[in-house]
Amino acid sequence: VIVVGAGVGGLTLAQGLSGAGIDVVVYEKDDGPLGRLQGIAIHMDERGRSALQANLPADHAAMAEATMGGPREQALQIAEVDGELAVVGSRSSDGSAGGVRPGRQASRPVLRAILLHGLEDSVRFGAELVGYELEGDGTVTARFADGRTDSADVLVGAEGVGSPVRRQYVPQAPVIDTGKRMLMGATPLRAVDPALMEMIGPRSSATVQVDGAMRMALGPLLFEEAPVAARDRLLPALDSPAVSEAEDYLMWAVPASADAVTDDRSPEAVWQVARKLATDLAPTVRSVVNEAWPELTYAHRIGMIPKQPPWPASPVTLIGDAIHLAPGFGANLAMQDAERLAESLAAYAAGEQELLAAIAAYEETMRRDGYPPPPTAPDGKAPGGRGEEAEDVVRQ
Ligand SMILES: Cc1cc2nc3c(=O)[nH]c(=O)nc-3n(C[C@H](O)[C@H](O)[C@H](O)COP(=O)(O)OP(=O)(O)OC[C@H]3O[C@@H](n4cnc5c(N)ncnc54)[C@H](O)[C@@H]3O)c2cc1C
């Protein structure tokens, strides 16, 4: 199997296939294992956690669980009341109507290091897929920007929203830009005003409201077990700066319009825009942005891919953001796809199913569950338009 893209979906799939004894090679366009910047935390609900348990070796899955934050309990709303910041509302994160799926925060760099561990010989960095050919003998040939080719029985597009595999295979599926942006960053917890952290607590997220508008979302990640201690206990061979340098942090998101973000989308430039947008917020909130790690700031374009009618199965398929998008839970969907596709391909490898039937079975579940409606707000209205996407990404 050729997997295109070493993101959360592609690596979870590769781990599952490798565990099932299936030959897998992952081609990743980025140059090295640290990967591109795409947010620093993932709210991991039962879909992502189930995929970790199913696809990863037990010690990897145990390390991933050990290094998450505690379960999210509630989403707070905070606002200035008589010049003082105060909690003015809350929503439970227990999965009840209007809330979000219960889950825990995972650090994206730590998770990525765990997912890559053991796949070192199967991942080829610096390999950008540009297209593929379906061959007469039923195999697929992948073509890369540097002229390289490789063939396999199955090609999986797991290369995220810009997917060349999707563009060639499902060319009618557009990516629709909603015009909304989210400026995302993270601040070491040691640099956050302790009074603010006391108000939010370690297991809640919070949105900062000004005149009824959501101006910032905040989500702490306090590791349940220090990543270095978990590594020494569970995966001592895992040698990665993502683990040795990990520390507790507060993630933040500032909603912005497309025109607020300049052409310069470098982390420093985006951080400066976020600082500007936060200038009228309470000093303790504003300082969260000012004290951030500038190099981790990221402007996220919010897009969507409409659900496509079924297509006949072939040796080419897609998982994750390459075929469906969800700002706050896309990683969980990508990992759910990875778990299901690995299971289907293992059934084929075991002689229990024909290849195309196995891929068709996976794609049916992907189309069914990959396009869930967004969570409804407690007032029954669909979220959106007041910055809820930012809240969605930090997750309750
Ligand atoms: C700031 C932010 C916060 C988020 N928070 C959450 C959250 O809390 N919970 C959640 O569930 N989701 C969250 N998401 C969404 C989540 O990050 C994505 O849905 C998820 O990463 C999708 O995984 P993927 O494996 O499909 O694709 P990606 O993670 O995008 O990985 C694709 C990989 O393919 C590589 N690639 C791209 N093109 C090529 C090519 N041509 N050839 C080879 N390789 C290629 C890329 O370099 C990348 O490594 C968040 C997203 C952002 C931006």
Side-chain angles (χ1 to χ4, degrees), residues 4-10 27-30 36 38-44 105 108 112 127-130 158-161 164 184 251 298 300 319-322 326-334 392-395:
V4 188
V8 278
Y27 287 94
E28 165 59 50
K29 80 170 175 191
D30 283 349
R36 68 195 166 129
Q38 207 200 20
I40 186 170
I42 297 176
H43 177 84
M44 192 72 78
Q105 299 301 113
R108 200 184 274 265
R112 184 176 166 82
E128 179 180 357
L129 179 113
V130 289
E159 76 279 47
V161 60
M184 313 278 312
M251 180 177 164
Y298 176 81
H300 180 47
I319 67 169
D321 277 14
F329 44 91
N332 286 277
L333 294 180
D392 228 20
V393 166
V394 173
R395 300 310 276 168

Side-chain angles (χ1 to χ4, degrees), residues 1-12:
V1 176
I2 290 176
V3 177
V4 188
V8 278
L11 292 175
T12 305

